[in-house]
Amino acid sequence: MTTPPYNPQYPPGQPGQYHQQGYNPYGQGSHGPVGYGYGYAPPGQPAGWPIRVGASILDSLIVSIPAIAGAILSLVIDGDQEQLGPGGGIAIGAGFLLAFVVWVWNRVIQQGRTGQSFGKKLTGLKVVHSQTGQLIGIGPNLGREILAQIFNQLCILNVLWPLWDDKQQTWHDKVVNDIVIHS
């Protein structure tokens, strides 16, 4: 690979040292990675469908622990009764509330700040912006998670879409413009 024309206005090794006009870092005649526009480097290798499903299962297990604990506690409190008493109702309600708090912390806040939920961290995955490779943040990640819940409830195709998509994105990934990669 040849080096582009040197620009003496900038010291060697500094941004702007080389003219960018007409310079293609992927070589002459190349248009860069498939699926990405000129000037954007791919953020990483897209994660395959099986590992994404594995990360999602791990996240679901973490969220289900407080809900299951609440159900067990309600059985301990109310015993074999046909109907739930007030103590059992409070236990189940508290379990589901705690499960929701764990979901928000794990899938919205943690994943928004670091790009990784608990399941993604264990499987080595990360959610990043599809063009810049930067973290998408808590706000867009909240939108991503809400869209995922809506799309998953409406149609199973959202979950299966990465199987044939060129960037292995779901519909909610496409709307938010993110991609799940190996970190």
Side-chain angles (χ1 to χ4, degrees):
M1 182 161 114
T2 61
T3 58
Y6 175 70
N7 184 348
Q9 175 181 347
Y10 297 96
Q14 296 298 313
Q17 174 186 5
Y18 297 111
H19 291 287
Q20 294 299 316
Q21 184 176 9
Y23 171 61
N24 185 349
Y26 300 104
Q28 190 173 11
S30 173
H31 298 291
V34 176
Y36 294 92
Y38 178 76
Y40 293 102
Q45 182 66 28
W49 186 78
I51 196 162
R52 286 185 69 169
V53 169
S56 182
I57 289 171
L58 289 170
D59 285 335
S60 296
L61 289 173
I62 294 299
V63 169
S64 67
I65 291 172
I68 292 170
I72 291 171
L73 187 58
S74 73
L75 289 174
V76 169
I77 292 171
D78 286 342
D80 291 346
Q81 295 179 7
E82 289 289 321
Q83 292 195 357
L84 217 53
I90 290 172
I92 283 186
F96 280 105
L97 180 63
L98 187 56
F100 178 73
V101 169
V102 169
W103 178 81
V104 168
W105 174 81
N106 184 43
R107 295 291 297 217
V108 177
I109 297 171
Q110 189 69 14
Q111 187 169 276
R113 286 183 180 164
T114 66
Q116 295 180 309
S117 63
F118 176 77
K120 284 183 180 65
K121 188 176 191 97
L122 287 179
T123 56
L125 302 180
K126 186 181 263 189
V127 178
V128 296
H129 191 275
S130 68
Q131 292 179 327
T132 65
Q134 299 296 313
L135 297 176
I136 62 173
I138 293 174
N141 195 60
L142 173 62
R144 177 186 190 275
E145 292 300 319
I146 290 171
L147 286 172
Q149 295 299 318
I150 292 169
F151 291 156
N152 291 345
Q153 296 301 316
L154 293 176
C155 183
I156 190 140
L157 279 177
N158 181 53
V159 177
L160 300 174
W161 205 259
L163 288 170
W164 53 79
D165 187 72
D166 63 336
K167 292 184 186 177
Q168 298 178 337
Q169 292 175 301
T170 58
W171 296 342
H172 57 275
D173 291 328
K174 290 182 177 299
V175 170
V176 180
N177 201 18
D178 68 59
I179 189 168
V180 179
I181 61 168
H182 293 280
S183 59

